[in-house]
Amino acid sequence: MTEVSSLTGRLLVATPALADPNFDRAVVLLLDHDEEGSLGVVLNRPTPVDVGDILEGWADLAGEPGVVFQGGPVSLDSALGVAVIPGDANGESAPLGWRRVHGAIGLVDLEAPPELLAPAVGSLRIFAGYAGWGPGQLEDELVEGAWYVVESEPGDVSSPSPEGLWRSVLRRQRNELAMVATYPDDPSLN
């Protein structure tokens, strides 16, 4: 078996050619990627459900829009919390109930009391479900050209305009990917 270079903390940006409707213009933050598979959350799929409707204690910490996001097609009945902790949140200074994924981005233990994290959280998103890939599956999709892999920024997790995230992530790239941001929603209308 070949060694898998970890993409944890990076973004998968759906290419216009990706045919799966679950991931049309999706921006996925990879929370885990190794030889056993990959797990991530779609950052730009807000639902109409308020965070307070399902996790009342966490509603005040959720960024705008304060809704639950559909993290992907797997386990839609489970919730994941992703929070950005500004500053130096590594080692001993990381708050209880938060586990670093990459840089200032980490997973929140939604069973923990929200008050534990409240002083440290810069932004919080709640996701119903996640995107998952088995061993080698994501690598195959990358070879097929289904995804662009780009660096994440802490603001991606808490974008106040998630519907524009696909274009904004592509636009900030310093290569030909910036041009893909202008790809029309429906090329047949071009």
Side-chain angles (χ1 to χ4, degrees):
M1 173 157 208
T2 60
E3 183 179 325
V4 174
S5 175
S6 181
L7 300 176
T8 299
R10 313 255 328 254
L11 295 178
L12 298 178
V13 181
T15 68
L18 183 59
D20 185 339
N22 288 308
F23 297 109
D24 182 44
R25 296 199 178 216
V27 177
V28 177
L29 172 65
L30 280 175
L31 300 172
D32 192 25
H33 176 252
D34 57 26
E35 63 280 344
E36 295 177 22
S38 305
L39 180 141
V41 289
V42 179
L43 298 177
N44 58 336
R45 295 281 192 274
T47 72
V49 179
D50 288 331
V51 170
D53 291 346
I54 60 163
L55 292 168
E56 187 177 342
W58 293 98
D60 290 340
L61 296 177
E64 288 301 318
V67 298
V68 174
F69 282 66
Q70 184 175 341
V74 182
S75 293
L76 290 171
D77 58 345
S78 66
L80 283 171
V82 177
V84 175
I85 305 289
D88 184 27
N90 55 36
E92 297 171 29
S93 63
L96 289 173
W98 182 81
R99 181 180 60 82
R100 172 186 315 287
V101 170
H102 178 77
I105 302 167
L107 285 168
V108 172
D109 177 0
L110 295 173
E111 298 293 321
E115 349 16 283
L116 274 180
L117 281 166
V121 169
S123 63
L124 169 72
R125 275 276 149 82
I126 303 296
F127 298 91
Y130 62 90
W133 294 265
Q137 186 180 4
L138 177 57
E139 288 74 16
D140 291 346
E141 290 182 16
L142 292 172
V143 169
E144 292 166 6
W147 302 98
Y148 303 121
V149 179
V150 300
E151 294 298 323
S152 64
E153 294 181 2
D156 296 333
V157 172
S158 58
S159 173
S161 302
E163 58 284 336
L165 192 60
W166 186 83
R167 288 189 194 282
S168 67
V169 167
L170 288 171
R171 196 173 292 124
R172 75 177 182 231
Q173 303 309 306
R174 298 185 180 267
N175 54 33
E176 63 277 355
L177 285 184
M179 291 295 294
V180 177
T182 64
Y183 197 83
D185 291 334
D186 184 352
S188 69
L189 298 176
N190 229 2

